[in-house]
Amino acid sequence: MTTTDCIFCKIIAGDIPCWKVLETETVLAFLDVGPLAEGHVLVIPKEHHATLDGMPEDLAADCARVVVRVSRAVREALGADGWNVLQNNGRVSGQAVDHVHFHVIPRRDGDGLGYRWNAGKLGEEAAERVLATLQKSLG
Ligand code: 5GP
Ligand code: ZN
């Protein structure tokens, strides 16, 4: 996907309207049009990147700063009991829009929101194998 057919790039360009929550030089936060809860906010970099791994780390840090500021507002102003920060990469993860975005989803006691968390148990063989692979990649 290129920036010309990216829906979030169109929002940044002002070609598609949005309910703007906060804007910085590099980051935009706006209300999700399909909220999982009242106050569901999307935080996106203004520069187009499809997934997190392709982003400059400084730009990701800019996004994280806005996520923190939105989190404070969600707690203090909206009075949320908690919130989820969700960031999907790839179809398998549930990513539908190929422009990096962080969901900030306010949670309220008894809201019934949830997802499957089918936790396994970390074994020694898998731990050593995956650790070696990751550490080699990370240098
Ligand atoms: P994903 O599944 O890619 O992590 O999430 C994409 C999110 O973008 C969805 O929650 C969806 O509701 C939201 N979304 C898609 N198109 C638009 C749009 O045009 N405007 C706004 N505000 N949100 C959008
Ligand atoms: Zn884009």
Side-chain angles (χ1 to χ4, degrees):
M1 182 179 282
T2 66
T3 55
T4 47
D5 51 19
C6 170
I7 197 147
F8 286 176
C9 283
K10 286 180 182 163
I11 286 175
I12 289 157
D15 296 338
I16 293 178
C18 74
W19 283 280
K20 205 176 282 186
V21 172
L22 177 68
E23 185 171 11
T24 71
E25 204 179 312
T26 57
V27 178
L28 181 68
F30 56 101
L31 294 181
D32 192 308
V33 79
L36 293 182
E38 196 168 287
H40 182 163
V41 172
L42 296 174
V43 176
I44 66 173
K46 288 185 179 174
E47 196 174 87
H48 179 90
H49 297 280
T51 51
L52 194 61
D53 55 322
M55 260 180 101
E57 291 176 16
D58 281 349
L59 185 54
D62 288 351
C63 290
R65 281 187 200 94
V66 172
V67 167
V68 171
R69 291 173 66 184
V70 170
S71 295
R72 287 194 193 110
V74 158
R75 185 210 279 276
E76 290 164 14
L78 294 184
D81 299 311
W83 61 98
N84 289 106
V85 176
L86 184 66
Q87 201 278 315
N88 298 325
N89 297 276
R91 294 288 170 270
V92 69
S93 75
Q95 183 179 18
V97 178
D98 291 337
H99 181 128
V100 169
H101 50 282
F102 297 79
H103 297 261
V104 181
I105 307 164
R107 300 300 305 271
R108 293 171 178 94
D109 290 335
D111 62 17
L113 273 178
Y115 44 86
R116 275 173 291 136
W117 190 283
N118 298 331
K121 186 163 171 29
L122 183 63
E124 204 169 323
E125 183 277 328
E128 283 172 3
R129 180 167 36 79
V130 77
L131 205 60
T133 307
L134 288 173
Q135 285 176 340
K136 193 172 168 200
S137 169
L138 289 165

